[in-house]
Amino acid sequence: MTKHLDRTEIGLLIALPILILVAFALPKWIVNYVHVSMGTGLVALGVMIQMRAGLVSFGQGLYFCVGGYAAGMMAKFLGITDFFVLLASGIVAALVLSGVLGFLLRRYREIFYAMLTLAVSMILFGLLSSTEELGSTDGFNLPTPSYLGWSPEGETSRLTLYTLTCFIAIGCAIALNRFLKSPIGYVNEAIRENELRVEYLGTSARQAIHITYTLAAAVSAIGGVLWALPLGHVDPEMTNWTTSGQFVFVSILSGTGNIVAPLIGTFILEIVRVYAVEISPNTWQMILGTVMLLTIIFLPKGLWSLLAKKKKLDTSASQNAPAAGE
Amino acid sequence: MLTATAIAVDGLGFAAWLFLSSVGLTLIYGVMRILNIAHGGFYALGAYSSAWAIGIYTATGSTVALTFLLIPLAALVAGAIAGLIVERGVLRFMYGRDEVLMVLVTYAVFLILEDVTKLIWGTQSYVAWQPAFYFGTVEILDIPYTVYKFIIIGTAMAVGLALFLVLNKTRVGKLLLVVIEDREISGALGINVTLFFTATFVVGAILGALGGAITAPEISVSPGIGAEIIVLSFAVIVIGGMGSIGGAMIGALIVGFARAASVHLYPPAELFSIYLVMAAVLAVKPYGLFALAESRKI
């Protein structure tokens, strides 16, 4: 079976038990950061697969928020607390919304794509901020999830949720890795290089982008649910464009060379943020901006390109990776 | 009737504010093909420096009338300094790169500017209401409006007219149109393209700062205003067609009236009515109302 898996997938499968064991070995606060950054990491993955097609989504927070709110509303209004139902409702909501919006967005490229995804996410931001039933700008709380009728409490609940999150996050990463190597994954790279020729070759660029957009939306919604459940809270800030900007930041910083890069990048960012905010709260964004500028100028293919160069393995991976925004 | 008048006047007020805040963005995009997210940072810098300057000045107890000189002065200083530093320090190394990359670069600059304002002025809010009430209010059909609102509307029209005249009636404007048409050829003809770029960017930054500075007396200046204005002004310029000054004016009017209408008829819709209008316009005209047709390049 292993011969069907590539290096990245084997690495992810090896990482899975380690990730789960970490929950028992490391202090609780680090585990919490790992847990939360798996959720946001999936959204960064959503940004990254679109970047492979040369499209920068400045509104990926939309689906992050849709996932979280869909799960939250199921719990709030229907009283459902089952983890799998909540997850499914997040995915379905994102699929429906992105399926419809995709018809509009697939017509746009470059800055228009970036800015329209941003605008769409801000519509939701405006909508949620003024909806009293959903707590306006404060958002609302989510219950502790149950699992197919089993409702653990306290520490067991936390560990169950963590373990499931690990499985789902790794599963999504492997699925997306497969997607990048699928025909549509390669069509996306061709679109980035030259869209007109893709059309001459008889493939619909718009369709490929539509599919990629919907997939990115579904993954981001999963991320939203997985992020909201451990925190037990959702608010409109999830879809504000500054949140989406951070996902773009992670994708730029870590690069699009490998599916693992955004996941690790998100975790590092979360940890750095904890210390940076503590030491000097008013320079956090400045640090982000400076690092982003330096990355764009000196490492256009992200930090992952350093790793890929050093190991000199699978040269195609680093060559295929697009530089930021190209 | 009362509501209609209120919508008309408020809509015009919003439109003037939106035009002032977004015309710099569309100017920079039109000339340099840079969608400048840092524009929100310039707006915030303008608002803070104006509110701060007014605060210090009025604390001396002198006549408030002079604050009307202080507002454009604050915008000029803040915009010129920030614009020059950003253009000379960062952007000039990036010319000719991809448009999306420039969005990311200016986003990074925006993040830095956000914290620069926090470091200079702290995180507390500034209130500088004195100029807004200096001329008192006028009543239109029993609804009181500050005269200051009409000063903003007048300023917006003056700025729009000035830009139109400079671009179409002066030698500099003609040269700029040549630079927009073709950078390389105009460089070969002996036009100093770099100078035009720097000047355009600085003027754009000053206009952004002016938008903030002139709004400062009407609002409470606090962190986050830059992030708000950038999405609004994007909606404005994309409705009109990016890079078109006239388009920005029409876009500002559409967005301004849409917002005023929802404020008076159905307040909860205020925030998203703007984007709804934008989505509606783009569904019909994908690149805005006044966008020039561009041929597809192989």
Side-chain angles (χ1 to χ4, degrees):
Chain A
M1 187 195 138
T2 43
K3 71 175 177 185
H4 297 301
L5 298 168
D6 69 8
R7 282 169 171 279
T8 312
E9 287 164 359
I10 295 171
L12 281 167
L13 285 178
I14 295 172
L16 180 60
I18 298 174
L19 261 180
I20 295 172
L21 284 177
V22 154
F24 299 94
L26 290 178
K28 208 166 157 185
W29 67 270
I30 296 186
V31 179
N32 279 342
Y33 281 114
V34 177
H35 195 166
V36 170
S37 51
M38 276 192 278
T40 44
L42 284 181
V43 191
L45 275 186
V47 174
M48 178 254 203
I49 61 168
Q50 294 174 74
M51 224 175 247
R52 277 275 177 124
L55 300 169
V56 178
S57 166
F58 247 103
Q60 207 57 26
L62 171 67
Y63 295 105
F64 181 55
C65 182
V66 163
Y69 265 75
M73 281 158 73
M74 287 297 271
K76 191 178 163 83
F77 296 114
L78 299 177
I80 296 170
T81 55
D82 190 83
F83 175 79
F84 300 98
V85 178
L86 295 184
L87 187 65
S89 57
I91 298 174
V92 170
L95 283 178
V96 171
L97 185 63
S98 62
V100 176
L101 283 179
F103 284 107
L104 175 73
L105 288 169
R106 67 183 196 173
R107 295 154 71 189
Y108 296 94
R109 303 289 178 271
E110 309 232 311
I111 46 170
F112 280 91
Y113 187 86
M115 292 295 125
L116 277 176
T117 46
L118 185 155
V120 175
S121 75
M122 291 309 286
I123 296 182
L124 186 71
F125 180 75
L127 210 61
L128 291 178
S129 305
S130 54
T131 311
E132 297 275 335
E133 294 77 21
L134 295 174
S136 303
T137 47
D138 293 332
F140 59 90
N141 289 334
L142 272 69
T144 318
S146 60
Y147 307 90
L148 303 173
W150 177 54
S151 23
E153 278 172 24
E155 194 68 358
T156 332
S157 167
R158 194 175 68 85
L159 287 174
T160 318
L161 188 58
Y162 177 78
T163 314
L164 271 173
T165 306
C166 292
F167 269 103
I168 295 169
I170 298 284
C172 286
I174 291 178
L176 286 181
N177 196 44
R178 287 281 159 99
F179 170 76
L180 292 182
K181 303 219 150 133
S182 72
I184 292 188
Y186 283 115
V187 167
N188 279 343
E189 288 185 27
I191 291 172
R192 192 186 73 233
E193 295 299 330
N194 192 325
E195 183 175 339
L196 203 57
R197 287 189 195 167
V198 172
E199 302 250 326
Y200 284 166
L201 290 171
T203 311
S204 168
R206 288 188 173 185
Q207 197 182 38
I209 285 172
H210 200 153
I211 293 171
T212 310
Y213 179 70
T214 334
L215 191 70
V219 175
S220 310
I222 296 175
V225 179
L226 295 181
W227 182 85
L229 282 176
L231 291 180
H233 185 78
V234 286
D235 61 40
E237 210 47 44
M238 289 170 85
T239 180
N240 200 348
W241 76 272
T242 44
T243 311
S244 306
Q246 302 218 337
F247 298 130
V248 175
F249 172 83
V250 171
S251 312
I252 300 283
L253 179 67
S254 47
T256 59
N258 193 295
I259 208 89
V260 185
L263 290 176
I264 299 174
T266 307
F267 176 67
I268 296 174
L269 185 73
E270 287 287 341
I271 292 293
V272 174
R273 187 210 308 266
V274 180
Y275 287 106
V277 168
E278 204 161 284
I279 295 164
S280 87
N282 287 342
T283 53
W284 166 238
Q285 287 185 310
M286 193 183 275
I287 297 168
L288 279 188
T290 316
V291 170
M292 192 163 164
L293 269 186
L294 293 177
T295 314
I296 292 172
I297 296 170
F298 296 110
L299 275 176
K301 291 181 179 186
L303 288 175
W304 188 265
S305 63
L306 282 181
L307 217 64
K309 229 180 267 169
K310 207 166 131 199
K311 282 189 189 163
K312 294 233 165 160
L313 44 81
D314 195 14
T315 44
S316 66
S318 57
Q319 275 166 13
N320 284 345
E326 269 175 15
Chain B
M1 190 59 213
L2 209 63
T3 322
T5 323
I7 291 175
V9 179
D10 281 344
L12 217 55
F14 280 144
W17 168 61
L18 286 167
F19 177 73
L20 282 174
S21 313
S22 55
V23 68
L25 192 64
T26 206
L27 180 72
I28 290 176
Y29 182 79
V31 177
M32 307 165 84
R33 299 281 137 183
I34 294 173
L35 185 58
N36 179 24
I37 293 190
H39 196 73
F42 297 143
Y43 177 88
L45 279 175
Y48 268 103
S49 49
S50 149
W52 171 77
I54 293 170
I56 288 193
Y57 174 78
T58 46
T60 61
S62 319
T63 168
V64 181
L66 279 178
T67 56
F68 289 93
L69 281 177
L70 224 52
I71 292 172
L73 190 70
L76 191 71
V77 174
I81 293 175
L84 261 182
I85 292 176
V86 172
E87 204 273 343
R88 288 285 93 190
V90 181
L91 292 183
R92 72 174 164 135
F93 303 109
M94 302 277 177
Y95 290 147
R97 301 281 286 272
D98 192 86
E99 279 181 33
V100 179
L101 188 77
M102 299 308 287
V103 173
L104 299 174
V105 169
T106 52
Y107 173 61
V109 174
F110 169 75
L111 288 177
I112 297 172
L113 285 181
E114 280 279 279
D115 275 355
V116 168
T117 37
K118 275 188 209 156
L119 287 178
I120 299 178
W121 288 287
T123 47
Q124 76 270 35
S125 23
Y126 284 79
V127 186
W129 51 270
Q130 291 86 349
F133 292 99
Y134 178 67
F135 287 114
T137 55
V138 282
E139 285 195 5
I140 301 174
L141 288 180
D142 296 334
I143 315 170
Y145 291 99
T146 54
V147 175
Y148 190 74
K149 197 191 252 321
F150 296 97
I151 293 179
I152 294 185
I153 297 175
T155 314
M157 294 202 297
V159 167
L161 188 70
L163 278 174
F164 173 81
L165 288 179
V166 169
L167 283 177
N168 295 296
K169 302 286 174 199
T170 63
R171 186 184 143 80
V172 174
K174 292 247 163 66
L175 288 177
L176 193 63
L177 294 181
V178 175
V179 173
I180 294 172
E181 194 63 35
D182 197 315
R183 275 177 215 178
E184 279 186 14
I185 298 291
S186 47
L189 290 174
I191 300 173
N192 189 343
V193 178
T194 320
L195 184 66
F196 268 99
F197 270 31
T198 310
T200 310
F201 194 83
V202 171
V203 169
I206 291 172
L207 285 171
L210 181 67
I214 207 162
T215 322
E218 290 197 312
I219 57 169
S220 154
V221 181
S222 47
I225 54 170
E228 259 169 59
I229 197 68
I230 187 67
V231 281
L232 279 180
S233 30
F234 170 70
V236 167
I237 71 166
V238 102
I239 286 176
M242 285 170 43
S244 153
I245 306 277
M249 210 168 238
I250 302 290
L253 285 170
I254 294 176
V255 171
F257 281 108
R259 187 174 161 189
S262 61
V263 164
H264 287 288
L265 301 174
Y266 185 64
E270 184 197 335
L271 271 166
F272 74 99
S273 62
I274 296 162
Y275 304 106
L276 221 56
V277 173
M278 179 180 120
V281 169
L282 291 183
V284 186
K285 295 274 279 179
Y287 294 97
L289 296 172
F290 290 88
L292 294 172
E294 262 184 63
S295 58
R296 213 172 165 184
K297 286 181 195 126
I298 295 177

